[in-house]
Structures are given as C-alpha cells and as structure tokens.
Amino acid sequence: MTVPFVFARAGNAVRLQDGLDFAAMPPAEALLKRIESRTARIAVIGMGYVGLPLAFAAFEAGYPVCGFDIDPAKVEGINAGVSPVGRIGGDILVRMRESGRFEVTSD
C-alpha cells in the first residue's frame, strides 16, 4: 500500500501536499490525521513472540515501524533477516527491512 501524500519539511512543521500543518493542530487531531494518512510512526517494544508479529501487522497496514529489543543479538539477527520466532519468516523480515519502513534497534 502506498501513501498518497508528498511530504515537505518546513522548519519543525511537516506539511502534506493537501496543506495539512500538523504543528498548527491540537495534538489529538494531529495524531488522528497521521493515523489516517499512515504517517504515524509505530514503536514496538520487545521483538519476541508478541512484538514481532505486532510490528509485522503495523507494517502490513502501511505504517513505518521501529522495533526495540534489549538483546543486541536478536536485533542484529532481525536486521540480517533471521527471525527469532517461527511465525514470521526471514523472507518477510528482509522484505520489511528493504522497504525502508522497518527498523530494529537496541538503543
């Protein structure tokens, strides 16, 4: 799924092609607009049996996803396409990483 908006940075405000200025909106409204436009960044803590499938679901819905785990070996493996859980295959992880919308870190 592609996002039908073009972004431009102007200072700290992010403007969408349709003229939305998130910085000028009340926080709840800005969040709803980001959810609707799939520009809200999803963070998932823990890349195990719950977190990794959750990150995959958010990715498949079109959101950029940042995963976090305290185990550097697990993070390194996921970033290399090695899945720590059987339900999410390495080929899926590679596709997610190559899209540019999925990253995993321990920082």
Side-chain angles (χ1 to χ4, degrees):
M1 176 180 206
T2 58
V3 179
F5 298 102
V6 176
F7 301 91
R9 276 220 174 264
N12 289 333
V14 177
R15 294 185 183 275
L16 297 179
Q17 188 175 30
D18 63 1
L20 293 176
D21 182 352
F22 291 136
M25 294 178 189
E29 183 182 347
L31 177 59
L32 287 174
K33 294 291 184 187
R34 285 186 170 134
I35 291 169
E36 291 169 357
S37 65
R38 299 291 198 265
T39 59
R41 187 168 179 81
I42 307 299
V44 179
I45 299 173
M47 293 284 96
Y49 285 95
V50 174
L52 191 56
L54 179 61
F56 175 65
F59 172 83
E60 285 292 290
Y63 293 97
V65 178
C66 179
F68 175 82
D69 201 286
I70 61 170
D71 181 354
K74 185 183 289 185
V75 170
E76 186 177 315
I78 291 171
N79 286 328
V82 178
S83 179
V85 298
R87 294 171 47 196
I88 305 292
D91 57 327
I92 292 173
L93 292 177
V94 169
R95 179 172 58 90
M96 290 170 69
R97 292 281 297 143
E98 288 177 350
S99 75
R101 290 188 297 115
F102 178 69
E103 62 180 309
V104 181
T105 184
S106 60
D107 291 335

